[in-house]
Amino acid sequence: MIVRDEEELLSRSLSSVAGIASEIIVVDTGSTDRSAAIARDFGASVYAHEWEDDFSKARNQALDAASGDWILVLDADEELAPECLPLLSESLCRSDAFAYALHFVNYYGQLTEYLCFTDSCCRLFRNFPDLRYSGKIHEDIVPSLLKRHLTPIPSRITIRHYGYLENRVRQKRKPQRNAALLAKAIAETPGDSRLQYALGTEYLHAGQYSEAMGVFLPLLKSLEPSCGFYPDLLLKTALLLRVQRSNDEAFRLVKEGLRLFPDFTDLWDLLGDLCVERAEYGSARKAYECSLLQTPRSGLYASQTGSGSFATAHRLGQLQEKLLNRAEALRSYRQALDSFPRYEPAWRRWLELTAAEGRWAQLLYCLRRWQAELTLQQWTEAVRCLLRYNELPLAQRIREWAPEPVLASLNPLSLRLSQWLIRCKQGDKAGVLAELQGLNEPKEETLDIELLRWALQFDLSAAKEDDRQELVRDESAAADERTFLTACTVFLESACWDGLVRYLRQSVGALRHLPGLLRPPLLQLVVQAPDLALQAILSRCNRDRLSPQELCAYGLLCGALQRWKEADAALRQVQDRLPDWPLPRLILAQAYQSLAFERLGQPLEKAEWLKLSLWLSA
C-alpha cells in the first residue's frame, strides 16, 4: 500500500486484511498527519518514499520490501469485503494460479450501497521478483505478467473502493491532480492510448465534458474493438453525447456498440433511455428486456451496479407507468425488489402502487419475503403508507414484524410513534397529546415526536392562544418551503384537519409554498383529506403560477370535490401547454365518469382519484 495523509480511511482498509496478512507493507509518500503511526499500530512496516509524480516507483518500492508468497495490493480508500475471506484463502491454494483480476465495487456521489459501478483489476499475484509496475499514473502490473505469458484469472474476490465519493474527490482534488500527472505522462509517451483514455475519464469526472469529448472521439476512431477498455470508452462517449444533446449520434453509437458487445447491459439500458426520449416506447421496452436477459462476460465491462438486474427492472417499471400500465409496472418493481429489496427507488413506487390498488395480501406476502433485508427506513415507510390509506390494523401488524436487530436500533420513543399515529387516525388525539406532554426527558425525544406534539396542540387548541400564535410566527419567520411542507405533512399524517386548515390560513409562507402540496408524495396524503382541508388548499392556490404537473393535481383535487367546471378548465389548460401528455385526458375522463355516476345518484369514491394521483409521480 502507498499512502499520503490517509488517517481518515487507513484504519478501515488495514482492518479488512489484518487477520489474514502475514505482513503489511506501507510506503508513505510524505504524510503530514497520523497515517504512518496508524499503519504501525497495525504492525505494518512503514517505508518513506520521496514523491516523484510516479505511482509505479512507489508501488515497486513496496514490492521490493514484500517477502510473502502472494501480494495483495490495496489503497487506503479501499477495503477487502469480509465475505470474500474464504474465497481468498481458497484462491491462494491453487497451484495453477499466478494472478487474479479482482472484482471492484466503486462507490460514487453520496455513499449508497447501490450507487456504484463495478470493474476488475489485477491486484493479487504471486511475489515473483521480476514483476514490476509500469506507468506514472494508473500504474499496471499486467504488462509485466504478460512478459511471463501469465494472464490474470477473473475472480469474485471483492474490493470496495470509496475514492470516488463526492467528499473524497473534493477533499483530494483527484481529477485535477490526476489530469496534471496524465498530461505530463502523455507528453513523455504520446502514443499511449490507455493514458489518453484515463485523461478523458478525469475530464469527465471533473465535469469538463467538451475536453473529455475531445479525447474520447479521436480515440474511439483509432482503437480496435479488441482493446480492453474499448467497451467502456464507447459507453462513456455515448453518455457524453447524450449530455451534450447529440441524441441521434448517441443512438447510432449505442447500436453499433451492441453489435460488437451484445451482452453489455449498460448499453442496452442506455438504448432504452434514448428510445424513451425519442418516444419509441416499444423499442425502449425491448431494450430493457434484453438487458435483463444478458449474462455479461466476467471482467470485460465496467458496469453500473444493478444494470441487467434491479436497476433495469426499475427503469422498465417507470416506462410502464409512463404508458399507464399499472399492473406491468408493479410486476417490474417487484422483479427489482426480489433481486435487491433495499433498492429504494423501486421500493417506494412498489409500495405506493400496491397500497393504492389495495393489494394487501400481496403486500403482506412480499414484506414477509423481504423481511430480513429491509432497512429501518423501509419499515417506517411501510407503516406510514398504510396509515395514509387508513389500514390501521394492518399498520399495527406490520409494525410488529420488524426484526429484532431493526427494533434494537430504534430510539424507544420512535417505536411508539407509529402507534401514536394510529391512535390519532382512530380519533384519540387528546389521549396521545396527554402522553406526549407527560414525556419529561427531552434528550430522548426525536424531531418527529416534537412535531407531532406541536401539531396536536395546534389542532386541539390545547396550548395557550399566545403560544399558538408564537408557533405560527416562528414558522413564518423561517418562511422556507421545507419547514412549511414538513408541518403540513405532520398534520396530514396525524389526521389533524382543523389544525391544517388553521395553519394554511395563518402561515405567511402558505401562499408561496403551497404548490408543494400538489406534488408527490404529499399529493397522495392530500387526496385522502376531508373536503374541508381540500377546499382550504385549493382556495389559496394561484392557478396561473402552477406548473403543468401542479395544475394537473389541482384539476384532480377539484374533481375529488365535485367541482367539475374548475377541474375541466384546469385540465384543458394543461392540455394546451402539453398536448402530448395523456394524464390530463385520463383525469378528465374520470371527471366525466364521476359526474355521470353522481347524476345517477351513486356516491363519489375518492379511491380512483387517489390512484390517478400516483401517475403524477411516474
Side-chain angles (χ1 to χ4, degrees):
M1 177 185 292
I2 58 176
V3 302
R4 182 173 183 175
D5 294 334
E6 299 287 1
E7 65 179 2
E8 182 182 350
L9 300 178
L10 187 55
S11 293
R12 177 173 60 187
S13 181
L14 294 179
S15 295
S16 72
V17 295
I20 59 167
S22 59
E23 63 179 1
I24 299 176
I25 307 297
V26 173
V27 171
D28 190 300
T29 62
S31 294
T32 57
D33 64 2
R34 295 189 62 255
S35 295
I38 292 171
R40 291 189 181 98
D41 288 343
F42 280 87
S45 299
V46 180
Y47 297 86
H49 175 86
E50 185 176 349
W51 181 242
E52 302 177 50
D53 288 345
D54 192 324
F55 281 90
S56 284
K57 285 188 176 181
R59 292 280 190 212
N60 290 330
Q61 181 176 346
L63 295 185
D64 290 340
S67 60
D69 294 332
W70 283 86
I71 291 175
L72 172 65
V73 177
L74 279 183
D75 285 336
D77 56 10
E78 299 168 351
E79 65 175 338
L80 176 67
E83 65 271 17
C84 293
L85 292 179
L87 178 56
L88 175 61
S89 299
E90 178 186 323
S91 301
L92 297 182
C93 292
R94 285 182 55 176
S95 59
D96 62 332
F98 299 93
Y100 290 98
L102 306 189
H103 178 71
F104 273 70
V105 177
N106 304 280
Y107 297 95
Y108 63 90
Q110 300 297 320
L111 182 57
T112 304
E113 60 183 321
Y114 52 80
L115 199 59
C116 50
F117 65 93
T118 61
D119 59 9
S120 63
C121 182
C122 181
R123 291 288 198 87
L124 181 63
F125 46 88
R126 289 187 183 272
N127 188 7
F128 295 141
D130 57 333
L131 290 183
R132 311 293 289 174
Y133 273 95
S134 58
K136 289 181 178 293
I137 184 170
H138 295 293
E139 65 283 6
D140 196 357
I141 200 72
V142 172
S144 190
L145 285 167
L146 294 177
K147 289 179 181 178
R148 268 181 162 260
H149 305 290
L150 301 176
T151 303
I153 299 171
S155 171
R156 298 304 295 178
I157 298 171
T158 299
I159 302 295
R160 296 171 183 158
H161 175 219
Y162 303 98
Y164 295 129
L165 290 176
E166 187 176 294
N167 61 339
R168 179 77 177 170
V169 171
R170 184 170 55 249
Q171 175 187 354
K172 291 289 185 177
R173 295 179 55 83
K174 279 190 171 183
Q176 296 86 347
R177 180 202 68 184
N178 289 353
L181 290 176
L182 284 164
K184 183 177 179 180
I186 290 171
E188 296 177 8
T189 55
D192 192 327
S193 59
R194 180 174 289 276
L195 288 177
Q196 293 170 13
Y197 166 67
L199 178 61
T201 300
E202 296 299 340
Y203 285 143
L204 180 62
H205 289 162
Q208 297 174 260
Y209 299 137
S210 296
E211 291 84 349
M213 187 64 78
V215 174
F216 284 163
L217 280 178
L219 201 56
L220 197 63
K221 294 176 182 178
S222 65
L223 292 176
E224 293 294 326
S226 57
C227 172
F229 56 87
Y230 190 91
D232 306 325
L233 172 63
L234 189 148
L235 175 64
K236 287 174 179 173
T237 305
L239 288 169
L240 270 174
L241 287 168
R242 186 185 180 200
V243 167
Q244 295 184 330
R245 305 293 183 186
S246 300
N247 284 5
D248 289 342
E249 292 179 50
F251 186 83
R252 286 192 291 271
L253 184 59
V254 170
K255 295 285 282 187
E256 173 61 19
L258 285 170
R259 186 184 66 79
L260 297 168
F261 310 106
D263 59 340
F264 195 176
T265 58
D266 296 70
L267 281 180
W268 283 112
D269 290 344
L270 180 53
L271 178 62
D273 295 345
L274 290 167
C275 287
V276 168
E277 292 172 3
R278 293 158 66 101
E280 297 174 2
Y281 301 126
S283 296
R285 177 177 179 172
K286 289 179 182 177
Y288 295 141
E289 289 174 343
C290 282
S291 178
L292 290 167
L293 292 173
Q294 303 307 315
T295 304
R297 286 165 282 179
S298 178
L300 184 59
Y301 310 121
S303 180
Q304 178 71 34
T305 297
S307 177
S309 179
F310 59 86
T312 305
H314 175 246
R315 276 179 160 97
L316 186 55
Q318 289 179 302
L319 173 62
Q320 296 293 3
E321 283 204 74
K322 191 177 185 69
L323 298 175
L324 308 183
N325 296 329
R326 193 188 301 269
E328 291 292 330
L330 268 171
R331 273 194 285 272
S332 294
Y333 293 140
R334 167 79 179 274
Q335 181 180 0
L337 294 169
D338 279 338
S339 174
F340 185 36
R342 294 188 300 280
Y343 189 49
E344 293 176 8
W347 159 262
R348 293 196 175 102
R349 294 308 297 164
W350 173 84
L351 185 63
E352 286 290 356
L353 289 175
T354 302
E357 292 283 347
R359 301 187 183 200
W360 308 121
Q362 184 182 114
L363 187 143
L364 290 172
Y365 171 80
C366 289
L367 288 180
R368 279 292 196 191
R369 179 186 177 101
W370 305 325
Q371 181 176 6
E373 298 188 63
L374 297 179
T375 65
L376 167 61
Q377 180 66 24
Q378 287 176 297
W379 283 107
T380 302
E381 288 171 353
V383 171
R384 288 194 165 183
C385 179
L386 290 167
L387 291 176
R388 290 201 297 272
Y389 288 86
N390 292 312
E391 292 292 329
L392 308 186
L394 194 55
Q396 175 66 25
R397 184 177 172 189
I398 289 177
R399 176 180 172 273
E400 295 168 355
W401 282 2
E404 283 301 321
V406 172
L407 295 178
S409 68
L410 282 170
N411 180 300
L413 290 178
S414 297
L415 284 172
R416 298 168 63 184
L417 176 60
S418 59
Q419 185 60 49
W420 281 323
L421 289 172
I422 289 172
R423 286 171 55 191
C424 288
K425 287 271 190 175
Q426 292 171 332
D428 186 20
K429 298 175 188 173
V432 171
L433 180 58
E435 288 187 26
L436 291 173
Q437 289 175 326
L439 295 174
N440 296 319
E441 299 186 45
K443 63 181 180 180
E444 290 186 346
E445 295 183 20
T446 67
L447 177 60
D448 283 343
I449 302 298
E450 193 58 38
L451 286 170
L452 179 58
R453 189 207 318 256
W454 172 78
L456 288 170
Q457 287 176 332
F458 203 79
D459 188 71
L460 298 174
S461 300
K464 295 178 181 178
E465 183 70 21
D466 289 344
D467 292 340
R468 192 170 67 248
Q469 294 300 328
E470 188 63 34
L471 286 170
V472 175
R473 281 199 297 273
D474 286 347
E475 187 280 328
S476 300
D480 74 67
E481 185 180 41
R482 182 177 179 181
T483 302
F484 172 78
L485 295 179
T486 298
C488 290
T489 301
V490 179
F491 285 125
L492 291 163
E493 286 192 328
S494 57
C496 291
W497 311 121
D498 292 339
L500 174 63
V501 172
R502 187 182 299 120
Y503 183 72
L504 292 176
R505 289 172 179 166
Q506 294 182 5
S507 173
V508 174
L511 286 176
R512 184 165 62 256
H513 304 314
L514 193 137
L517 291 174
L518 303 180
R519 298 192 292 267
L522 280 181
L523 180 61
Q524 279 80 60
L525 282 169
V526 169
V527 174
Q528 298 172 86
D531 290 357
L532 179 67
L534 295 186
Q535 289 165 357
I537 291 170
L538 292 181
S539 67
R540 308 212 73 183
C541 282
N542 184 337
R543 220 170 74 184
D544 294 332
R545 294 186 178 181
L546 298 180
S547 70
Q549 186 188 45
E550 293 161 356
L551 191 56
C552 205
Y554 180 95
L556 186 148
L557 294 181
C558 287
L561 285 172
Q562 304 178 51
R563 289 159 54 167
W564 309 119
K565 287 186 178 179
E566 287 181 66
D568 184 85
L571 293 165
R572 290 187 183 281
Q573 189 176 340
V574 178
Q575 281 186 275
D576 291 340
R577 292 165 67 178
L578 296 174
D580 294 331
W581 193 20
L583 190 57
R585 290 191 293 276
L586 193 65
I587 298 175
L588 267 177
Q590 178 62 43
Y592 297 149
Q593 183 181 8
S594 299
L595 177 59
F597 282 139
E598 179 189 314
R599 289 180 175 174
L600 291 172
Q602 296 184 21
L604 178 69
E605 294 288 340
K606 282 189 177 178
E608 289 305 315
W609 298 102
L610 179 59
K611 292 178 183 179
L612 287 170
S613 73
L614 288 171
W615 295 125
L616 282 162
S617 55

